[in-house]
Amino acid sequence: MNSMFELHNLLPAIITIAKEYLGVKRISLMLIEDDYLKMYAHAGFEVDQSSVNIRLGEGVAGKVAKTGIEVTANKSDIVKEVLGYQASSFMSVPLKKGDKVLGVLNLTDKEDDFFTEEDVKIARYIASQCALGVDRFNLYSDMRKSENLRVIGMLNSSIAHDIKNLLNIVQSYLELMALEKDIKPEMQEYIDAIHSEVKRIHGLTMDILDFSRQRVSMAIETFPLAELFDEIRKHANIMTRDTAISVEVSVSDDIIMTVDRGKIFRVIFNLVSNAIDALSVSGKVTLSAVKDGEYCVIRVKDTGKGISSDNRKKLFQPFFTSGKAKGTGLGLAIVKMIVEAHCGTIDVDSEEGVFTEFTVRIPYDYESVKELHRQR
Ligand SMILES: Nc1ncnc2c1ncn2[C@@H]1O[C@H](COP(=O)(O)OP(=O)(O)OP(=O)(O)O)[C@@H](O)[C@H]1O
Ligand SMILES: [Mg+2]
């Protein structure tokens, strides 16, 4: 059992065997995720939605999960009092790794009416083995995540250097083109556009490098936020060209930022790209910015598919992607890292099928806020 890493196959298999072995009518195994106990495997009954997620501390299983203290009730009147419904006997055993409770094993209605001491011992043993399996699975998942980061790190250091060299060559050719006589004004416009995109790819390479080293290098400059929003608007218009998606941008001209322009561009660009992806063919994306004390509050809202509360918890984790054919799941992890490096915060609000809104708070003047943070 402890060599199996597929928890979703392992737990139902254990539950089925334990149900037969202990001779109970109903059995369930629930694991703790954040503040909830979630049903992972069950046998002998249909699950109704209200019992899939139980808040820690609520109901018998919720209390066992919170306190780590096992509950056994062998008389039907006591069971009714404890459970709130009729059953001959009941047992709820915590899954523990050291002092940490990982979940709960629930057994209801023993066929001979009550649990013997032997049954209790067996149930404890099954719970302890499940806990071991769950703990190993968690350890394995963490290892996979850090292994991914390690591979990205290796990949980056070997290719980032090559990308930079190649970009330098492109840049040199662009400069040569700009020296040509009789360049039409449109051609000059195209050359400028390629120039700025090349700079952007360079910045993106640096972001990914920063990400793999978990360190952000900053290049601070002062500029009007309206200028940056204008660039985003142009990109968004290109991305939504063949769709019925409208992109509305509102920002006042007096918001002047002193931050890493390239990085903040990528923050907003990532959020707007995700918003457009969430709409697929029609709907509205709104990008806005307002002042709030020494902070600037930037909001990106879309009328798209929304994000489930389960997914909302994982959004900023590296490699979390869902519902996309080509997502790498690094976008929001990088966004968060950049925002926090600017002493800012990012929050998300969403209703499935209705809307999603990301709110970024960053200081206008990163240098002065950084100084304040340092003094504190
Ligand atoms: N505005 C949004 N509406 C609905 N879901 C969203 C929104 N923004 C993010 N998500 C969800 O969060 C996931 C993670 O986003 P993230 O930007 O980190 O990765 P990605 O877009 O999948 O890949 P990439 O690395 O290419 O950006 C997305 O796959 C999507 O499921
Ligand atoms: Mg993305």
Side-chain angles (χ1 to χ4, degrees):
M1 182 174 89
N2 289 320
S3 65
M4 280 174 74
F5 283 132
E6 283 300 326
L7 209 58
H8 296 283
N9 297 332
L10 174 69
L11 296 182
I14 294 174
I15 285 302
T16 313
I17 296 167
K19 179 176 177 291
E20 290 303 310
Y21 195 76
L22 284 164
V24 289
K25 290 199 185 122
R26 283 173 285 171
I27 183 163
S28 68
L29 203 142
M30 307 181 86
L31 297 182
I32 296 180
E33 253 181 51
D34 299 315
D35 290 336
Y36 287 88
L37 255 186
K38 293 202 168 178
M39 182 78 76
Y40 258 78
H42 63 93
F45 65 104
E46 293 293 317
V47 180
D48 77 89
Q49 280 309 309
S50 63
S51 60
V52 177
N53 292 333
I54 296 176
R55 194 181 273 280
L56 293 190
E58 280 175 13
V60 184
K63 285 198 181 85
V64 172
K66 194 166 182 181
T67 58
I69 299 167
E70 135 195 334
V71 169
T72 310
N74 264 333
K75 291 210 169 79
S76 60
D77 49 341
I78 300 175
V79 173
K80 184 150 195 267
E81 210 179 296
V82 175
L83 288 183
Y85 57 83
Q86 200 65 53
S88 65
S89 46
F90 173 77
M91 184 161 32
S92 187
V93 189
L95 267 57
K96 278 179 156 179
K97 178 81 206 322
D99 285 340
K100 197 172 170 210
V101 183
L102 304 174
V104 173
L105 175 70
N106 298 308
L107 306 136
T108 317
D109 273 335
K110 169 87 184 166
E111 268 154 21
D112 304 332
D113 272 5
F114 64 93
F115 291 106
T116 61
E117 246 171 63
E118 191 62 21
D119 291 335
V120 175
K121 274 189 203 153
I122 293 167
R124 279 183 200 150
Y125 182 71
I126 293 170
S128 74
Q129 290 300 299
C130 286
L132 213 60
V134 171
D135 187 57
R136 286 197 186 180
F137 177 79
N138 291 344
L139 212 66
Y140 174 66
S141 304
D142 288 349
M143 256 165 52
R144 257 203 346 214
K145 261 183 222 153
S146 56
E147 177 62 15
N148 276 339
L149 284 175
R150 202 179 63 81
V151 170
I152 281 209
M154 271 164 41
L155 206 69
N156 282 340
S157 26
S158 64
I159 64 167
H161 171 255
D162 293 348
I163 291 179
K164 266 191 285 175
N165 282 348
L166 295 173
L167 289 180
N168 280 342
I169 296 170
V170 175
Q171 198 126 357
S172 305
Y173 277 117
L174 283 173
E175 277 158 20
L176 285 176
M177 276 171 82
L179 289 177
E180 284 290 312
K181 275 186 236 135
D182 308 324
I183 291 183
K184 287 190 205 145
E186 313 86 272
M187 188 59 87
Q188 186 58 52
E189 206 183 301
Y190 300 154
I191 293 174
D192 290 347
I194 300 174
H195 242 306
S196 71
E197 293 316 305
V198 165
K199 256 170 73 184
R200 206 151 274 157
I201 299 172
H202 186 267
L204 188 65
T205 321
M206 296 316 289
D207 274 358
I208 299 181
L209 258 177
D210 280 349
F211 183 74
S212 65
R213 295 190 201 120
Q214 292 290 299
R215 175 165 58 80
V216 180
S217 46
M218 296 276 221
I220 305 297
E221 50 186 305
T222 301
F223 60 92
L225 188 62
E227 236 179 64
L228 198 105
F229 274 26
D230 227 40
E231 287 176 40
I232 301 272
R233 189 209 318 262
K234 280 187 200 144
H235 278 84
N237 286 343
I238 296 171
M239 288 191 280
T240 55
R241 210 170 22 207
D242 300 320
T243 68
I245 296 173
S246 65
V247 181
E248 279 180 18
V249 177
S250 75
V251 55
S252 60
D253 289 336
D254 62 344
I255 304 185
I256 307 294
M257 308 291 287
T258 302
V259 294
D260 187 319
R261 180 177 178 143
K263 286 196 175 16
I264 296 304
F265 173 90
R266 284 190 289 286
V267 165
I268 305 171
F269 183 74
N270 264 313
L271 296 177
V272 170
S273 306
N274 281 347
I276 292 171
D277 287 347
L279 289 167
S280 72
V281 286
S282 67
K284 193 162 94 178
V285 177
T286 323
L287 168 63
S288 64
V290 290
K291 287 180 168 182
D292 181 17
E294 61 198 19
Y295 284 83
C296 172
V297 181
I298 300 169
R299 294 195 170 91
V300 181
K301 185 169 182 176
D302 66 75
T303 57
K305 60 181 179 179
I307 309 170
S308 69
S309 58
D310 263 4
N311 283 352
R312 240 175 288 161
K313 290 174 204 146
K314 304 178 207 152
L315 276 187
F316 299 102
Q317 288 174 6
F319 307 108
F320 171 74
T321 178
S322 144
K324 291 190 190 184
K326 288 187 187 155
T328 54
L330 279 182
L332 287 177
I334 291 176
V335 162
K336 188 162 191 275
M337 196 173 85
I338 295 176
V339 170
E340 286 176 353
H342 278 85
C343 308
T345 57
I346 180 162
D347 294 295
V348 60
D349 187 17
S350 180
E351 194 180 328
E352 267 189 281
V354 184
F355 80 97
T356 299
E357 181 173 58
F358 281 87
T359 304
V360 172
R361 280 169 63 84
I362 42 165
Y364 298 109
D365 185 352
Y366 164 69
E367 295 288 0
S368 67
V369 168
K370 186 179 73 175
E371 197 47 47
L372 276 178
H373 270 248
R374 200 179 292 146
Q375 282 167 17
R376 271 178 215 153

PDB file of all heavy atoms in Angstrom, residues 31-63:
ATOM      1  N   LEU A  31     -10.323  13.680   3.847  1.00  0.00           N
ATOM      2  CA  LEU A  31      -9.007  14.278   4.075  1.00  0.00           C
ATOM      3  C   LEU A  31      -9.133  15.791   4.273  1.00  0.00           C
ATOM      4  O   LEU A  31     -10.026  16.422   3.703  1.00  0.00           O
ATOM      5  CB  LEU A  31      -8.079  14.006   2.884  1.00  0.00           C
ATOM      6  CG  LEU A  31      -7.757  12.536   2.610  1.00  0.00           C
ATOM      7  CD1 LEU A  31      -6.792  12.424   1.441  1.00  0.00           C
ATOM      8  CD2 LEU A  31      -7.176  11.855   3.847  1.00  0.00           C
ATOM      9  N   ILE A  32      -8.215  16.341   5.065  1.00  0.00           N
ATOM     10  CA  ILE A  32      -8.269  17.781   5.347  1.00  0.00           C
ATOM     11  C   ILE A  32      -7.619  18.558   4.202  1.00  0.00           C
ATOM     12  O   ILE A  32      -6.525  18.227   3.750  1.00  0.00           O
ATOM     13  CB  ILE A  32      -7.538  18.113   6.672  1.00  0.00           C
ATOM     14  CG1 ILE A  32      -8.267  17.451   7.835  1.00  0.00           C
ATOM     15  CG2 ILE A  32      -7.440  19.623   6.880  1.00  0.00           C
ATOM     16  CD1 ILE A  32      -7.650  17.705   9.192  1.00  0.00           C
ATOM     17  N   GLU A  33      -8.376  19.553   3.719  1.00  0.00           N
ATOM     18  CA  GLU A  33      -7.821  20.497   2.742  1.00  0.00           C
ATOM     19  C   GLU A  33      -8.213  21.878   3.197  1.00  0.00           C
ATOM     20  O   GLU A  33      -9.394  22.186   3.297  1.00  0.00           O
ATOM     21  CB  GLU A  33      -8.424  20.238   1.355  1.00  0.00           C
ATOM     22  CG  GLU A  33      -7.468  19.584   0.398  1.00  0.00           C
ATOM     23  CD  GLU A  33      -8.100  19.365  -0.952  1.00  0.00           C
ATOM     24  OE1 GLU A  33      -8.655  20.299  -1.516  1.00  0.00           O
ATOM     25  OE2 GLU A  33      -8.047  18.221  -1.414  1.00  0.00           O
ATOM     26  N   ASP A  34      -7.240  22.714   3.484  1.00  0.00           N
ATOM     27  CA  ASP A  34      -7.483  24.048   4.058  1.00  0.00           C
ATOM     28  C   ASP A  34      -8.350  23.904   5.318  1.00  0.00           C
ATOM     29  O   ASP A  34      -8.001  23.159   6.187  1.00  0.00           O
ATOM     30  CB  ASP A  34      -8.123  24.983   3.030  1.00  0.00           C
ATOM     31  CG  ASP A  34      -7.194  25.150   1.830  1.00  0.00           C
ATOM     32  OD1 ASP A  34      -6.002  25.342   2.067  1.00  0.00           O
ATOM     33  OD2 ASP A  34      -7.669  25.035   0.704  1.00  0.00           O
ATOM     34  N   ASP A  35      -9.543  24.559   5.333  1.00  0.00           N
ATOM     35  CA  ASP A  35     -10.348  24.495   6.553  1.00  0.00           C
ATOM     36  C   ASP A  35     -11.443  23.445   6.461  1.00  0.00           C
ATOM     37  O   ASP A  35     -12.390  23.450   7.241  1.00  0.00           O
ATOM     38  CB  ASP A  35     -11.008  25.855   6.827  1.00  0.00           C
ATOM     39  CG  ASP A  35      -9.964  26.870   7.240  1.00  0.00           C
ATOM     40  OD1 ASP A  35      -8.905  26.438   7.729  1.00  0.00           O
ATOM     41  OD2 ASP A  35     -10.208  28.072   7.059  1.00  0.00           O
ATOM     42  N   TYR A  36     -11.338  22.552   5.495  1.00  0.00           N
ATOM     43  CA  TYR A  36     -12.421  21.592   5.263  1.00  0.00           C
ATOM     44  C   TYR A  36     -11.951  20.143   5.290  1.00  0.00           C
ATOM     45  O   TYR A  36     -10.796  19.852   5.019  1.00  0.00           O
ATOM     46  CB  TYR A  36     -13.079  21.864   3.902  1.00  0.00           C
ATOM     47  CG  TYR A  36     -13.923  23.101   3.909  1.00  0.00           C
ATOM     48  CD1 TYR A  36     -13.361  24.335   3.627  1.00  0.00           C
ATOM     49  CD2 TYR A  36     -15.265  23.042   4.233  1.00  0.00           C
ATOM     50  CE1 TYR A  36     -14.129  25.493   3.657  1.00  0.00           C
ATOM     51  CE2 TYR A  36     -16.050  24.180   4.264  1.00  0.00           C
ATOM     52  CZ  TYR A  36     -15.473  25.406   3.977  1.00  0.00           C
ATOM     53  OH  TYR A  36     -16.245  26.526   4.020  1.00  0.00           O
ATOM     54  N   LEU A  37     -12.924  19.260   5.596  1.00  0.00           N
ATOM     55  CA  LEU A  37     -12.719  17.831   5.439  1.00  0.00           C
ATOM     56  C   LEU A  37     -13.379  17.469   4.129  1.00  0.00           C
ATOM     57  O   LEU A  37     -14.557  17.769   3.929  1.00  0.00           O
ATOM     58  CB  LEU A  37     -13.482  17.103   6.534  1.00  0.00           C
ATOM     59  CG  LEU A  37     -12.732  16.521   7.703  1.00  0.00           C
ATOM     60  CD1 LEU A  37     -13.693  15.723   8.557  1.00  0.00           C
ATOM     61  CD2 LEU A  37     -11.547  15.678   7.316  1.00  0.00           C
ATOM     62  N   LYS A  38     -12.653  16.841   3.215  1.00  0.00           N
ATOM     63  CA  LYS A  38     -13.248  16.512   1.915  1.00  0.00           C
ATOM     64  C   LYS A  38     -13.354  15.012   1.746  1.00  0.00           C
ATOM     65  O   LYS A  38     -12.412  14.279   2.048  1.00  0.00           O
ATOM     66  CB  LYS A  38     -12.387  17.083   0.790  1.00  0.00           C
ATOM     67  CG  LYS A  38     -12.423  18.574   0.802  1.00  0.00           C
ATOM     68  CD  LYS A  38     -12.054  19.141  -0.523  1.00  0.00           C
ATOM     69  CE  LYS A  38     -12.394  20.611  -0.494  1.00  0.00           C
ATOM     70  NZ  LYS A  38     -12.055  21.304  -1.662  1.00  0.00           N
ATOM     71  N   MET A  39     -14.503  14.572   1.232  1.00  0.00           N
ATOM     72  CA  MET A  39     -14.752  13.146   1.021  1.00  0.00           C
ATOM     73  C   MET A  39     -13.837  12.630  -0.091  1.00  0.00           C
ATOM     74  O   MET A  39     -13.843  13.152  -1.190  1.00  0.00           O
ATOM     75  CB  MET A  39     -16.219  12.990   0.614  1.00  0.00           C
ATOM     76  CG  MET A  39     -16.640  11.572   0.412  1.00  0.00           C
ATOM     77  SD  MET A  39     -16.925  10.759   1.978  1.00  0.00           S
ATOM     78  CE  MET A  39     -18.501  11.464   2.442  1.00  0.00           C
ATOM     79  N   TYR A  40     -13.022  11.615   0.215  1.00  0.00           N
ATOM     80  CA  TYR A  40     -12.132  11.048  -0.800  1.00  0.00           C
ATOM     81  C   TYR A  40     -12.576   9.680  -1.261  1.00  0.00           C
ATOM     82  O   TYR A  40     -12.349   9.305  -2.387  1.00  0.00           O
ATOM     83  CB  TYR A  40     -10.687  10.990  -0.267  1.00  0.00           C
ATOM     84  CG  TYR A  40      -9.872  12.098  -0.841  1.00  0.00           C
ATOM     85  CD1 TYR A  40     -10.007  13.386  -0.334  1.00  0.00           C
ATOM     86  CD2 TYR A  40      -9.008  11.889  -1.910  1.00  0.00           C
ATOM     87  CE1 TYR A  40      -9.302  14.431  -0.878  1.00  0.00           C
ATOM     88  CE2 TYR A  40      -8.298  12.928  -2.450  1.00  0.00           C
ATOM     89  CZ  TYR A  40      -8.439  14.194  -1.935  1.00  0.00           C
ATOM     90  OH  TYR A  40      -7.735  15.234  -2.488  1.00  0.00           O
ATOM     91  N   ALA A  41     -13.189   8.928  -0.334  1.00  0.00           N
ATOM     92  CA  ALA A  41     -13.635   7.590  -0.719  1.00  0.00           C
ATOM     93  C   ALA A  41     -14.767   7.194   0.221  1.00  0.00           C
ATOM     94  O   ALA A  41     -14.778   7.584   1.396  1.00  0.00           O
ATOM     95  CB  ALA A  41     -12.482   6.611  -0.589  1.00  0.00           C
ATOM     96  N   HIS A  42     -15.740   6.446  -0.300  1.00  0.00           N
ATOM     97  CA  HIS A  42     -16.836   6.015   0.559  1.00  0.00           C
ATOM     98  C   HIS A  42     -17.427   4.732  -0.006  1.00  0.00           C
ATOM     99  O   HIS A  42     -17.240   4.421  -1.182  1.00  0.00           O
ATOM    100  CB  HIS A  42     -17.911   7.107   0.648  1.00  0.00           C
ATOM    101  CG  HIS A  42     -18.552   7.400  -0.671  1.00  0.00           C
ATOM    102  ND1 HIS A  42     -19.693   6.794  -1.102  1.00  0.00           N
ATOM    103  CD2 HIS A  42     -18.149   8.221  -1.668  1.00  0.00           C
ATOM    104  CE1 HIS A  42     -19.997   7.239  -2.298  1.00  0.00           C
ATOM    105  NE2 HIS A  42     -19.069   8.104  -2.681  1.00  0.00           N
ATOM    106  N   ALA A  43     -18.141   3.988   0.838  1.00  0.00           N
ATOM    107  CA  ALA A  43     -18.797   2.763   0.371  1.00  0.00           C
ATOM    108  C   ALA A  43     -20.015   2.506   1.242  1.00  0.00           C
ATOM    109  O   ALA A  43     -20.038   2.855   2.427  1.00  0.00           O
ATOM    110  CB  ALA A  43     -17.831   1.584   0.460  1.00  0.00           C
ATOM    111  N   GLY A  44     -21.080   1.949   0.638  1.00  0.00           N
ATOM    112  CA  GLY A  44     -22.284   1.566   1.374  1.00  0.00           C
ATOM    113  C   GLY A  44     -23.340   2.640   1.425  1.00  0.00           C
ATOM    114  O   GLY A  44     -24.386   2.447   2.040  1.00  0.00           O
ATOM    115  N   PHE A  45     -23.108   3.786   0.805  1.00  0.00           N
ATOM    116  CA  PHE A  45     -24.140   4.841   0.787  1.00  0.00           C
ATOM    117  C   PHE A  45     -23.875   5.818  -0.351  1.00  0.00           C
ATOM    118  O   PHE A  45     -22.767   5.882  -0.883  1.00  0.00           O
ATOM    119  CB  PHE A  45     -24.191   5.593   2.123  1.00  0.00           C
ATOM    120  CG  PHE A  45     -22.932   6.367   2.435  1.00  0.00           C
ATOM    121  CD1 PHE A  45     -22.892   7.748   2.288  1.00  0.00           C
ATOM    122  CD2 PHE A  45     -21.784   5.723   2.869  1.00  0.00           C
ATOM    123  CE1 PHE A  45     -21.734   8.464   2.585  1.00  0.00           C
ATOM    124  CE2 PHE A  45     -20.617   6.434   3.164  1.00  0.00           C
ATOM    125  CZ  PHE A  45     -20.590   7.795   3.023  1.00  0.00           C
ATOM    126  N   GLU A  46     -24.965   6.530  -0.700  1.00  0.00           N
ATOM    127  CA  GLU A  46     -24.852   7.581  -1.723  1.00  0.00           C
ATOM    128  C   GLU A  46     -24.399   8.860  -1.028  1.00  0.00           C
ATOM    129  O   GLU A  46     -24.855   9.147   0.082  1.00  0.00           O
ATOM    130  CB  GLU A  46     -26.217   7.843  -2.377  1.00  0.00           C
ATOM    131  CG  GLU A  46     -26.745   6.681  -3.204  1.00  0.00           C
ATOM    132  CD  GLU A  46     -25.901   6.437  -4.442  1.00  0.00           C
ATOM    133  OE1 GLU A  46     -25.532   7.413  -5.098  1.00  0.00           O
ATOM    134  OE2 GLU A  46     -25.595   5.255  -4.723  1.00  0.00           O
ATOM    135  N   VAL A  47     -23.547   9.614  -1.685  1.00  0.00           N
ATOM    136  CA  VAL A  47     -23.096  10.858  -1.063  1.00  0.00           C
ATOM    137  C   VAL A  47     -24.029  11.980  -1.471  1.00  0.00           C
ATOM    138  O   VAL A  47     -24.323  12.145  -2.636  1.00  0.00           O
ATOM    139  CB  VAL A  47     -21.684  11.209  -1.565  1.00  0.00           C
ATOM    140  CG1 VAL A  47     -21.190  12.497  -0.927  1.00  0.00           C
ATOM    141  CG2 VAL A  47     -20.741  10.091  -1.274  1.00  0.00           C
ATOM    142  N   ASP A  48     -24.514  12.731  -0.468  1.00  0.00           N
ATOM    143  CA  ASP A  48     -25.248  13.935  -0.879  1.00  0.00           C
ATOM    144  C   ASP A  48     -24.289  15.114  -0.712  1.00  0.00           C
ATOM    145  O   ASP A  48     -23.334  15.070   0.068  1.00  0.00           O
ATOM    146  CB  ASP A  48     -26.555  14.101  -0.090  1.00  0.00           C
ATOM    147  CG  ASP A  48     -26.326  14.608   1.297  1.00  0.00           C
ATOM    148  OD1 ASP A  48     -26.307  15.823   1.475  1.00  0.00           O
ATOM    149  OD2 ASP A  48     -26.148  13.753   2.201  1.00  0.00           O
ATOM    150  N   GLN A  49     -24.538  16.161  -1.504  1.00  0.00           N
ATOM    151  CA  GLN A  49     -23.581  17.281  -1.603  1.00  0.00           C
ATOM    152  C   GLN A  49     -23.210  17.877  -0.243  1.00  0.00           C
ATOM    153  O   GLN A  49     -22.084  18.274  -0.015  1.00  0.00           O
ATOM    154  CB  GLN A  49     -24.155  18.393  -2.500  1.00  0.00           C
ATOM    155  CG  GLN A  49     -24.006  18.086  -3.980  1.00  0.00           C
ATOM    156  CD  GLN A  49     -22.580  17.703  -4.368  1.00  0.00           C
ATOM    157  OE1 GLN A  49     -21.636  18.412  -4.043  1.00  0.00           O
ATOM    158  NE2 GLN A  49     -22.405  16.571  -5.036  1.00  0.00           N
ATOM    159  N   SER A  50     -24.192  17.874   0.715  1.00  0.00           N
ATOM    160  CA  SER A  50     -23.936  18.539   1.997  1.00  0.00           C
ATOM    161  C   SER A  50     -22.857  17.821   2.810  1.00  0.00           C
ATOM    162  O   SER A  50     -22.227  18.417   3.678  1.00  0.00           O
ATOM    163  CB  SER A  50     -25.223  18.609   2.798  1.00  0.00           C
ATOM    164  OG  SER A  50     -25.638  17.289   3.073  1.00  0.00           O
ATOM    165  N   SER A  51     -22.642  16.513   2.528  1.00  0.00           N
ATOM    166  CA  SER A  51     -21.643  15.809   3.339  1.00  0.00           C
ATOM    167  C   SER A  51     -20.292  15.660   2.623  1.00  0.00           C
ATOM    168  O   SER A  51     -19.391  15.008   3.121  1.00  0.00           O
ATOM    169  CB  SER A  51     -22.178  14.431   3.726  1.00  0.00           C
ATOM    170  OG  SER A  51     -22.434  13.695   2.558  1.00  0.00           O
ATOM    171  N   VAL A  52     -20.154  16.267   1.428  1.00  0.00           N
ATOM    172  CA  VAL A  52     -18.886  16.134   0.701  1.00  0.00           C
ATOM    173  C   VAL A  52     -17.797  16.988   1.348  1.00  0.00           C
ATOM    174  O   VAL A  52     -16.665  16.568   1.516  1.00  0.00           O
ATOM    175  CB  VAL A  52     -19.073  16.543  -0.786  1.00  0.00           C
ATOM    176  CG1 VAL A  52     -17.746  16.474  -1.512  1.00  0.00           C
ATOM    177  CG2 VAL A  52     -20.080  15.633  -1.443  1.00  0.00           C
ATOM    178  N   ASN A  53     -18.177  18.217   1.731  1.00  0.00           N
ATOM    179  CA  ASN A  53     -17.234  19.112   2.404  1.00  0.00           C
ATOM    180  C   ASN A  53     -17.763  19.455   3.788  1.00  0.00           C
ATOM    181  O   ASN A  53     -18.874  19.940   3.909  1.00  0.00           O
ATOM    182  CB  ASN A  53     -17.099  20.437   1.647  1.00  0.00           C
ATOM    183  CG  ASN A  53     -16.413  20.243   0.325  1.00  0.00           C
ATOM    184  OD1 ASN A  53     -15.632  19.324   0.153  1.00  0.00           O
ATOM    185  ND2 ASN A  53     -16.727  21.111  -0.613  1.00  0.00           N
ATOM    186  N   ILE A  54     -16.974  19.177   4.814  1.00  0.00           N
ATOM    187  CA  ILE A  54     -17.397  19.532   6.180  1.00  0.00           C
ATOM    188  C   ILE A  54     -16.369  20.479   6.761  1.00  0.00           C
ATOM    189  O   ILE A  54     -15.161  20.227   6.683  1.00  0.00           O
ATOM    190  CB  ILE A  54     -17.490  18.264   7.058  1.00  0.00           C
ATOM    191  CG1 ILE A  54     -18.588  17.348   6.510  1.00  0.00           C
ATOM    192  CG2 ILE A  54     -17.759  18.615   8.505  1.00  0.00           C
ATOM    193  CD1 ILE A  54     -18.707  16.033   7.249  1.00  0.00           C
ATOM    194  N   ARG A  55     -16.823  21.572   7.306  1.00  0.00           N
ATOM    195  CA  ARG A  55     -15.900  22.526   7.904  1.00  0.00           C
ATOM    196  C   ARG A  55     -15.273  21.909   9.157  1.00  0.00           C
ATOM    197  O   ARG A  55     -15.969  21.203   9.899  1.00  0.00           O
ATOM    198  CB  ARG A  55     -16.654  23.803   8.267  1.00  0.00           C
ATOM    199  CG  ARG A  55     -15.740  24.959   8.577  1.00  0.00           C
ATOM    200  CD  ARG A  55     -16.566  26.169   8.942  1.00  0.00           C
ATOM    201  NE  ARG A  55     -16.947  26.948   7.789  1.00  0.00           N
ATOM    202  CZ  ARG A  55     -16.145  27.827   7.179  1.00  0.00           C
ATOM    203  NH1 ARG A  55     -14.927  28.013   7.619  1.00  0.00           N
ATOM    204  NH2 ARG A  55     -16.568  28.511   6.145  1.00  0.00           N
ATOM    205  N   LEU A  56     -13.985  22.147   9.388  1.00  0.00           N
ATOM    206  CA  LEU A  56     -13.321  21.595  10.575  1.00  0.00           C
ATOM    207  C   LEU A  56     -14.028  22.104  11.831  1.00  0.00           C
ATOM    208  O   LEU A  56     -14.351  23.279  11.925  1.00  0.00           O
ATOM    209  CB  LEU A  56     -11.852  22.018  10.628  1.00  0.00           C
ATOM    210  CG  LEU A  56     -10.941  21.449   9.540  1.00  0.00           C
ATOM    211  CD1 LEU A  56      -9.493  21.758   9.860  1.00  0.00           C
ATOM    212  CD2 LEU A  56     -11.133  19.955   9.370  1.00  0.00           C
ATOM    213  N   GLY A  57     -14.277  21.186  12.759  1.00  0.00           N
ATOM    214  CA  GLY A  57     -14.929  21.576  14.010  1.00  0.00           C
ATOM    215  C   GLY A  57     -16.425  21.357  13.976  1.00  0.00           C
ATOM    216  O   GLY A  57     -17.087  21.346  15.002  1.00  0.00           O
ATOM    217  N   GLU A  58     -16.982  21.162  12.733  1.00  0.00           N
ATOM    218  CA  GLU A  58     -18.432  20.960  12.634  1.00  0.00           C
ATOM    219  C   GLU A  58     -18.776  19.477  12.484  1.00  0.00           C
ATOM    220  O   GLU A  58     -18.085  18.747  11.781  1.00  0.00           O
ATOM    221  CB  GLU A  58     -18.991  21.733  11.439  1.00  0.00           C
ATOM    222  CG  GLU A  58     -19.190  23.200  11.764  1.00  0.00           C
ATOM    223  CD  GLU A  58     -19.625  24.022  10.560  1.00  0.00           C
ATOM    224  OE1 GLU A  58     -20.004  23.444   9.537  1.00  0.00           O
ATOM    225  OE2 GLU A  58     -19.555  25.255  10.686  1.00  0.00           O
ATOM    226  N   GLY A  59     -19.851  19.028  13.134  1.00  0.00           N
ATOM    227  CA  GLY A  59     -20.255  17.627  13.073  1.00  0.00           C
ATOM    228  C   GLY A  59     -19.219  16.750  13.778  1.00  0.00           C
ATOM    229  O   GLY A  59     -18.176  17.251  14.225  1.00  0.00           O
ATOM    230  N   VAL A  60     -19.511  15.450  13.864  1.00  0.00           N
ATOM    231  CA  VAL A  60     -18.592  14.560  14.593  1.00  0.00           C
ATOM    232  C   VAL A  60     -17.255  14.456  13.859  1.00  0.00           C
ATOM    233  O   VAL A  60     -16.185  14.656  14.458  1.00  0.00           O
ATOM    234  CB  VAL A  60     -19.197  13.148  14.751  1.00  0.00           C
ATOM    235  CG1 VAL A  60     -18.273  12.276  15.579  1.00  0.00           C
ATOM    236  CG2 VAL A  60     -20.553  13.222  15.386  1.00  0.00           C
ATOM    237  N   ALA A  61     -17.310  14.177  12.539  1.00  0.00           N
ATOM    238  CA  ALA A  61     -16.059  14.012  11.784  1.00  0.00           C
ATOM    239  C   ALA A  61     -15.233  15.292  11.837  1.00  0.00           C
ATOM    240  O   ALA A  61     -14.012  15.257  12.003  1.00  0.00           O
ATOM    241  CB  ALA A  61     -16.383  13.638  10.339  1.00  0.00           C
ATOM    242  N   GLY A  62     -15.924  16.449  11.718  1.00  0.00           N
ATOM    243  CA  GLY A  62     -15.231  17.743  11.757  1.00  0.00           C
ATOM    244  C   GLY A  62     -14.534  17.951  13.090  1.00  0.00           C
ATOM    245  O   GLY A  62     -13.430  18.504  13.158  1.00  0.00           O
ATOM    246  N   LYS A  63     -15.182  17.489  14.177  1.00  0.00           N
ATOM    247  CA  LYS A  63     -14.578  17.655  15.521  1.00  0.00           C
ATOM    248  C   LYS A  63     -13.375  16.741  15.673  1.00  0.00           C
ATOM    249  O   LYS A  63     -12.329  17.140  16.203  1.00  0.00           O
ATOM    250  CB  LYS A  63     -15.620  17.362  16.602  1.00  0.00           C
ATOM    251  CG  LYS A  63     -16.610  18.495  16.753  1.00  0.00           C
ATOM    252  CD  LYS A  63     -17.352  18.415  18.094  1.00  0.00           C
ATOM    253  CE  LYS A  63     -18.360  19.543  18.203  1.00  0.00           C
ATOM    254  NZ  LYS A  63     -19.664  19.230  17.579  1.00  0.00           N
TER     255      LYS A  63
END
